[in-house]
Amino acid sequence: MLRPKGPDQMAFDSIEHVMERCAQYGYVMHRTLATTVYLATRLRTPLFLEGEPGVGKTELAKVMALGLGAELIRLQCHEGLDIATAVYEWNYPRQMLEIRLQEARGIERTHIGESIFSPSFLLERPLLKAIRIAPPRRALLLIDEVDRSDEEFEAYLLELLSDFQISIPEIGTVKAVEPPLVVLTSNRTRALHDALKRRCLYHWIDYPDFSRETAIVRARVPCLRSVPRSWSRHPSPIRREGAARTRP
């Protein structure tokens, strides 16, 4: 696992610092979650967030990027996600134009097209873009709803999360100068492979209790002085029933 060298600007100073910085952007969290976030940034280990839809997994990644001053790069997973969408794609129209231009310049036939598989003809997708960002720029890679992707793509992530490198056959291996922070989210629509989870710090985000839900509403709607207790009573039984089927 790669470790940051020197003073780490992509980490929070303390658990309290995590809670304070996130609260500045309207995200109220429990101390146990703040501890996991702190360790993930300090150890530069991918953070795996799992929980029911709507509990704040994606929002946490956005707030972390804001709190750390990092560029948020988001990959929204879905069924059938492939390398061309997630990693890279060759700019075929530009490659064809380059071949035409080389023919017009009178370049020897055997040398036409030798340069079309170079980085200048590469279209970066979220994973490659996050890998190629170098200091002073900083990146937080959000791989959202990874459980919606296929098992083949899940296996592809193993190289990225272990060595922070991507293999491109025509060029070689692209390795991160400074590994990005990585946050993966899952709604647990399917079980993910243990090999992927072993590369991450795991945290299950549950529905908030009434006191924290009140704090969230007040943070989002500052003009609201009080929150009626009945607001949280009605969804609670429904939440518990749904969560009982998926919670580990």
Side-chain angles (χ1 to χ4, degrees), residues 18 22 25 28 34 45 54 63 92 98 100 105 107 112 115 140 174-175 197 210:
V18 176
C22 291
Y25 296 102
V28 181
T45 302
V63 169
Y92 294 114
E98 179 65 21
R100 297 296 186 188
R105 295 189 196 109
I107 295 177
I112 291 178
S115 62
L140 187 148
V174 179
K175 197 165 187 176
K197 292 183 177 179
F210 177 73

Side-chain angles (χ1 to χ4, degrees), residues 122-165:
L122 203 60
L123 296 175
E124 292 181 345
R125 300 310 183 202
L127 297 186
L128 181 60
K129 181 179 180 181
I131 287 292
R132 295 180 74 178
I133 285 183
R137 297 173 64 198
R138 296 175 291 181
L140 187 148
L141 174 62
L142 168 60
I143 304 175
D144 210 9
E145 297 184 333
V146 66
D147 55 316
R148 295 185 180 276
S149 64
D150 301 325
E151 292 184 2
E152 291 78 8
F153 178 74
E154 182 184 338
Y156 185 85
L157 288 177
L158 297 179
E159 179 184 15
L160 177 71
L161 298 182
S162 60
D163 299 322
F164 288 98
Q165 65 182 26

Side-chain angles (χ1 to χ4, degrees), residues 195-216:
L196 183 64
K197 292 183 177 179
R198 283 196 297 266
R199 286 163 170 78
C200 309
L201 280 181
Y202 177 88
H203 190 93
W204 172 271
I205 300 183
D206 208 345
Y207 288 114
D209 55 21
F210 177 73
S211 61
R212 191 149 55 93
E213 195 162 8
T214 301
I216 292 171

Side-chain angles (χ1 to χ4, degrees), residues 8-95:
D8 191 2
Q9 301 299 320
M10 278 289 282
F12 293 100
D13 297 331
S14 63
I15 298 172
E16 289 72 20
H17 186 215
V18 176
M19 300 179 72
E20 291 172 4
R21 290 292 288 166
C22 291
Q24 288 178 6
Y25 296 102
Y27 194 95
V28 181
M29 65 171 65
H30 195 275
R31 186 178 177 84
T32 55
L33 175 56
T35 302
T36 307
V37 171
Y38 171 73
L39 291 174
T41 59
R42 275 294 168 186
L43 299 175
R44 197 58 66 84
T45 302
L47 175 61
F48 190 100
L49 302 174
E50 203 166 37
E52 295 293 320
V55 294
K57 303 183 295 295
T58 301
E59 186 66 19
L60 175 57
K62 295 178 180 178
V63 169
M64 286 175 62
L66 290 172
L68 294 168
E71 178 180 348
L72 178 66
I73 301 174
R74 180 177 180 177
L75 173 63
Q76 179 63 51
C77 297
H78 55 81
E79 188 176 351
L81 183 65
D82 58 8
I83 292 178
T85 306
V87 190
Y88 72 92
E89 186 177 12
W90 290 107
N91 192 336
Y92 294 114
R94 189 180 171 194
Q95 287 175 322

Side-chain angles (χ1 to χ4, degrees), residues 165-225:
Q165 65 182 26
I166 290 174
S167 299
I168 302 176
E170 297 85 352
I171 296 177
T173 300
V174 179
K175 197 165 187 176
V177 176
E178 180 177 339
L181 287 178
V182 181
V183 177
L184 301 94
T185 73
S186 168
N187 295 330
R188 223 181 201 200
T189 57
R190 70 174 179 88
L192 297 174
H193 199 279
D194 289 340
L196 183 64
K197 292 183 177 179
R198 283 196 297 266
R199 286 163 170 78
C200 309
L201 280 181
Y202 177 88
H203 190 93
W204 172 271
I205 300 183
D206 208 345
Y207 288 114
D209 55 21
F210 177 73
S211 61
R212 191 149 55 93
E213 195 162 8
T214 301
I216 292 171
V217 172
R218 287 175 176 169
R220 294 289 181 172
V221 190
C223 61
L224 191 63
R225 294 184 178 180

